[in-house]
Each structure stands twice: as C-alpha cells, then as structure tokens.
Amino acid sequence: MASIASPMATVPRGLAAKAPTDWSNPAMKRRIRGRYAAETRFRALGFIAVAASVLFLAFLLVNMAINGIPGFFRTEIKLAIPITAAKLNLTQAQLAGPDKEAALSAADFAGVVTAAAVTRFGDKGAEFVSDTGWTALREAVTADPSLIGKTVTLWVPAAGNLDLVAKGKSPSADIGPFKEAYARLETDDATRTHFNTNFLSAADSSDPVSVGIWGAFKGSMLTMFVTLVLSFPVGVLSALYLEEYAPRNWWTDMIEVSINNLAAVPSIIFGLLGLAVFLGTFGMPRSAPIVGGLTLALMTMPVIVIAGRNAIKAVAPSIRDAALGIGASPIQVVFQHVLPLALPGILTGTIIGMARALGETAPLLLIGMRAFVGAPPSGLTQPATVLPMQVYLWSNEVNRSFVEKTSAAIIVLLLFLLLMNGVAIYLRNKFERRW
C-alpha cells in the first residue's frame, strides 16, 4: 500500500523551520520604533522642503510687489506755463493750416516748459521736470490752439529723482534739492501721484518716467504666437507618428534618443542654431519676432513631443481595439479616439514648453532681441524685444528710477505667464475625457 505524503513535506525547509515573529521581543520593538521614527523624519523633511519652497515663493512675490507696484504710478507737478507764440515758434494760424504737423514738429515745447520750470524752481528747475514733460503742453495746445498767448497751468510728469522722493525713496543723486523742491510742491498742493497708464501703453525710452511695457509685451505675444503655431502641430504630429506608425528599428530608436537629448540641451545652443540658420543662412531680419519664434519653437518642440508620446501611451489599448472592432480605420482610431483622449496630457506638456519659452533670454540674446526698440512692433518682421529682455535691459540701467520699473515689468511678465497657463488649463479641462 502506497504511503500518503504529509502536506508539510511540500513546504520549503527554510519556511517550515522559521519561528513566528515575536512582536514582544525587545529587539523587534526597537526595530519598529526605528521604522516609525524614520517615517516621522521623512514626513518632517518633506514638510520642511514644502515650507521652504512656499517661503521662497512668498519672499519673491512680496519683494516684487513692494518694489514693483510703485512703478505703476507716476508723480506729476503743477506748473504755470506762459505760452507765447514767439517763444513757442508756433501760431494759431499755423495750427489751423494744412501744415499743422510740420508746425507742431518745429515748435519749441521743451524750451517753453524748461523756462517755466526754471521760473518755478530756480536755475536747476529743468532737473525737476521729466524729459518728456513737454508732451503734456503739446497735447494741450493741439487740443486748444487758443491757449497760445496765455499762461496755462498744467500737470507735467516729474523727473525720476523727484518721483523717487515722492515715493519715499532716495535717489542716487544729491537728494537735498529734490527734497526741498518736493516740500515746496507739497506745501503749495502742486504735486500728485496717480496710476501711470503710459507704463502699459508706451514702448521703451531712455527716460524712466516715460518708459512703457507695451512694446516688449507685444513683442512677446508675437514671438509666442510664432512659437505655438510652429511647435504645437509639428510636435503633436511627430508624437503621433513615433507612437502609432513608426517601425521599431534602430532608426526610430536613434530619433527617440535624439529628441530626449534635445529636451535637455542648454537654450543658448538653440540661440546659436537660430543665429546660424535663420540669420546667417536664410538672411531673415535680425531682432524680429519671426526669428525669435522660430528659435524658441526649436527649443519647445522636443518637450511637446515627449509629453505627447507619454499622453498617447496612456490611452488604454482597449479604446483602440474597440474602435477597430466596430470598423474604424487606423487613421480614424488615431484622430477620433486616441488624440482627443491624449489632448489634455499634450496640452500640459505644451504649457510647460511655452512657459519655458516665455522666460528665455539666452537664445534671444544671440539673435539680437536685446536692442533698444522705441516703438511697438507692427508685424512679425519688425524689430522687437520681449519681456524678459526688457527686464534684463532695465536692470542694467544705472538710474535708480529703473529699479521699480524692472520689478513692475517682472509683475507684468508673471501675470502674462499666469494668463497663458490659465488659458491652457481651461482648454485642458474642456477637452478632458474620462473612460
């Protein structure tokens, strides 16, 4: 009669011989306490890391707000200006004639305003009025030619140093005359500070009082438009081809490795590429949004390709199988089922890529977008600069009045970035599908 093997005979010898865990053993208790302590330390370190990040972010935002918000305001002084036709070199008849613009261009508005400032403040009176203060007189005379021959009282922009004194800051120059002048103006109720709309509507200038952010803002929008129009469709189509159609061979592997490496290449390398190809080979206009957009599109495309491939991979295979099972063609499966489901992930990658492109300065330095541009660009081929470059240019100015303008420009840049991210998040949520 055959013997029946015991169940214990099938259990490995080591497991059968292992004694049950003695949780009351002092050594085991020490190990458990050590595990709990390690977990507590890990959680504490994680909390400290998050708290440090939040503190740095709060410090940045508070610092930018304190230094930048005054940059959105401008100090003006009340000035009595005698307007005589002889000193102004302009008559009412000339303003009514066909050569009005030529007569306005030849008129000496700056001289009349300077003379009024000298009369008001003494020999150094011209230092208390902005270099562009004469534009207030020009606008007033253009609107009402009958002012010629009268003494008018106008609010004209104060000079940068006087503006700093009004905001409780010390200019780098001798502060004494500016403090005395401002005290006199306050006593006479002849000074005011209000929101500077010129900062949002004007372009760059050598006078910190009259500088504006609109030129750089428009340049950034045009550059980002070119970047998005080129990088998004090319990046998405590349991701679709590599993930859905490309054969698995060493050529495909090499392309994938190259794209992954391109995403980590320093941005200045793309600037050198744009300089050599777009400016050197094709002779495209220097410092133009079209060249900046093409250069940044080269830098952004690998990020979109990588994010797109990961999003396409995340689509469940059952979606493809179900679509094919009901008779859809492969291209219908890709564009009507896979791509809509992968679009939220693709948009997330696009957000990251565009945000990086918006803050880049190194590649744009090499293609000449750091030049002084006194007028907003009117097209993709016009000379322009972008917000990060404008911040860089103002930060190098020695005049202290540019410090607050630099911080104000950074605030505009951050708001622009938040606006872009908000639009992208809205689109991502709109196209998000659950299955």
Side-chain angles (χ1 to χ4, degrees):
M1 181 178 179
S3 64
I4 300 175
S6 168
M8 292 300 293
T10 60
V11 178
R13 181 177 299 175
L15 293 178
K18 186 176 180 181
T21 302
D22 183 8
W23 298 99
S24 61
N25 187 291
M28 180 57 71
K29 289 182 177 177
R30 282 197 301 273
R31 291 179 61 186
I32 293 174
R33 284 198 297 272
R35 292 177 184 176
Y36 284 131
E39 184 178 350
T40 303
R41 286 195 298 272
F42 178 76
R43 293 176 60 183
L45 289 174
F47 177 78
I48 291 171
V50 173
S53 303
V54 172
L55 284 177
F56 279 121
L57 178 61
F59 175 78
L60 171 67
L61 295 178
V62 171
N63 188 44
M64 288 299 104
I66 293 175
N67 293 324
I69 289 178
F72 292 98
F73 294 88
R74 182 174 73 180
T75 301
E76 292 181 346
I77 60 177
K78 187 189 292 182
L79 200 62
I81 306 175
I83 308 174
T84 61
K87 289 184 179 179
L88 190 60
N89 193 26
L90 183 68
T91 63
Q92 296 185 32
Q94 288 176 308
L95 287 175
D99 298 328
K100 176 182 174 181
E101 291 301 324
L104 285 171
S105 300
D108 188 15
F109 292 104
V112 171
V113 172
T114 300
V118 170
T119 303
R120 177 71 172 81
F121 300 105
D123 294 338
K124 294 186 176 180
E127 298 179 8
F128 303 128
V129 180
S130 167
D131 294 339
T132 57
W134 59 271
T135 56
L137 178 60
R138 177 189 167 111
E139 293 172 1
V141 171
T142 304
D144 185 7
S146 66
L147 295 178
I148 297 177
K150 302 177 182 177
T151 297
V152 298
T153 300
L154 293 178
W155 288 97
V156 297
N161 287 333
L162 193 62
D163 183 57
L164 288 177
V165 171
K167 294 173 181 174
K169 300 178 181 179
S170 299
S172 57
D174 184 11
I175 192 173
F178 297 101
K179 272 194 168 181
E180 294 173 3
Y182 184 70
R184 261 189 292 161
L185 289 168
E186 272 198 316
T187 304
D188 299 339
D189 196 20
T191 181
R192 68 180 185 183
T193 300
H194 67 99
F195 187 76
N196 184 13
T197 56
N198 189 67
F199 182 73
L200 300 178
S201 60
D204 198 6
S205 171
S206 58
D207 182 13
V209 176
S210 58
V211 297
I213 205 70
W214 174 241
F217 187 82
K218 191 174 180 182
S220 286
M221 286 196 297
L222 293 175
T223 304
M224 289 298 102
F225 172 75
V226 176
T227 303
L228 183 64
V229 166
L230 291 176
S231 63
F232 184 73
V234 176
V236 172
L237 291 176
S238 300
L240 281 173
Y241 175 78
L242 290 173
E243 198 59 36
E244 298 289 337
Y245 298 105
R248 297 301 169 195
N249 53 32
W250 70 275
W251 275 105
T252 305
D253 294 340
M254 191 175 70
I255 292 173
E256 291 176 356
V257 171
S258 300
I259 290 173
N260 292 334
N261 288 332
L262 280 174
V265 168
S267 59
I268 197 167
I269 302 299
F270 291 100
L272 290 171
L273 182 62
L275 177 65
V277 176
F278 303 126
L279 298 184
T281 304
F282 296 109
M284 299 179 77
R286 191 177 182 83
S287 186
I290 182 69
V291 180
L294 285 168
T295 305
L296 294 179
L298 293 176
M299 188 189 71
T300 308
M301 214 176 297
V303 178
I304 297 178
V305 173
I306 294 172
R309 293 193 62 192
N310 291 331
I312 293 168
K313 280 181 186 175
V315 176
S318 59
I319 300 294
R320 297 176 176 84
D321 296 338
L324 290 171
I326 61 174
S329 65
I331 197 167
Q332 286 177 319
V333 172
V334 170
F335 285 96
Q336 296 181 8
H337 298 275
V338 176
L339 184 59
L341 293 173
L343 199 55
I346 296 173
L347 288 176
T348 302
T350 305
I351 294 170
I352 297 172
M354 294 299 292
R356 181 188 174 193
L358 178 62
E360 280 294 342
T361 55
L364 302 180
L365 278 171
L366 296 178
I367 60 173
M369 296 195 78
R370 67 180 301 273
F372 176 85
V373 180
S378 56
L380 296 177
T381 58
Q382 296 296 313
T385 186
V386 292
L387 282 171
M389 292 306 308
Q390 191 68 79
V391 171
Y392 173 74
L393 291 174
W394 287 352
S395 66
N396 288 331
E397 293 287 344
V398 295
N399 192 327
R400 281 182 55 85
S401 298
F402 275 101
V403 174
E404 63 180 23
K405 302 300 180 185
T406 303
S407 299
I410 293 174
I411 291 176
V412 174
L413 177 61
L414 291 176
L415 292 176
F416 188 20
L417 182 62
L418 288 175
L419 177 64
M420 284 181 54
N421 285 346
V423 172
I425 290 171
Y426 168 76
L427 293 175
R428 185 181 63 186
N429 293 334
K430 182 177 181 181
F431 292 113
E432 188 173 10
R433 299 287 186 273
R434 297 182 182 277
W435 69 88

